[in-house]
Amino acid sequence: GITARYFDYNSDTTGDQDESGYTTDAGFIFTVASSLRIAAVGHNLLGSNATSYPRGFGTGLSFAPGGPLSISVDSLWNLELEDDQKSGRFGGGLEYLFAAQDGISRYPIRFGGVFDRASDEGYLNFGLGFSSAKLGLDIGGRKQVSGTGDEFIVQIGLSLVGAVPQARR
């Protein structure tokens, strides 16, 4: 797919400049087999040269061998860095999906990690969830395990799903 978008970035931070313009992203997902998907995306490929919106490239691989376990890895590269700067953000994770006997409710458990070469920081990620036909609830966290700082974040997400319109006959 291809997406064109307009941005208008205004900042009160010293050293940041206001920027606006158009940019374009493009990406694809290729299903190699029912259990294996490969993805790639380029962001800010065409349009503005704004410093807050650098050109970049990402890749991903998802493997779900059947049953409740799935595995994924991904990477992200900033293509507009100075020669002495490092790029590359690498992540991976596992999800185990418990299904309730009603066949509708699901309970995912997630665990993963991320390493950012530019900052030399690493993080462990974790999450628990619940989903049904009408409701989704996710609780996730991220703990910094390397680099400067001691970040710890907990996030909660709620999804409500309304009735799906049926086609008239």
Side-chain angles (χ1 to χ4, degrees):
I2 298 174
T3 301
R5 59 192 157 87
Y6 173 77
F7 63 89
D8 187 10
Y9 176 77
N10 298 298
S11 176
D12 293 333
T13 304
T14 303
D16 277 358
Q17 60 185 21
D18 295 348
E19 298 174 314
S20 64
Y22 293 92
T23 187
T24 304
D25 303 338
F28 73 88
I29 299 174
F30 179 67
T31 302
V32 177
S34 62
S35 62
L36 182 62
R37 293 189 175 111
I38 298 171
V41 63
H43 57 92
N44 304 318
L45 296 175
L46 301 173
S48 175
N49 290 325
T51 58
S52 298
Y53 297 87
R55 285 170 180 68
F57 181 74
T59 61
L61 177 71
S62 170
F63 181 62
L69 180 67
S70 62
I71 303 163
S72 64
V73 294
D74 58 47
S75 64
L76 179 63
W77 303 89
N78 183 339
L79 301 177
E80 295 186 359
L81 294 174
E82 301 296 326
D83 290 336
D84 61 339
Q85 292 179 304
K86 295 186 264 182
S87 179
R89 185 172 176 101
F90 309 97
L94 302 170
E95 178 183 79
Y96 192 88
L97 188 61
F98 292 96
Q101 290 184 355
D102 65 8
I104 298 172
S105 302
R106 297 172 189 259
Y107 304 88
I109 296 175
R110 301 177 184 106
F111 181 77
V114 174
F115 179 73
D116 188 329
R117 284 185 65 219
S119 64
D120 283 329
E121 295 175 346
Y123 302 88
L124 290 179
N125 306 312
F126 53 90
L128 300 170
F130 165 78
S131 67
S132 68
K134 300 275 184 187
L135 174 74
L137 178 65
D138 286 294
I139 300 171
R142 178 169 107 162
K143 172 68 176 139
Q144 186 173 351
V145 294
S146 68
T148 58
D150 189 27
E151 181 179 292
F152 180 70
I153 297 174
V154 175
Q155 296 178 334
I156 298 173
L158 176 65
S159 303
L160 301 173
V161 180
V164 177
Q166 299 295 316
R168 292 186 179 182
R169 295 178 188 221

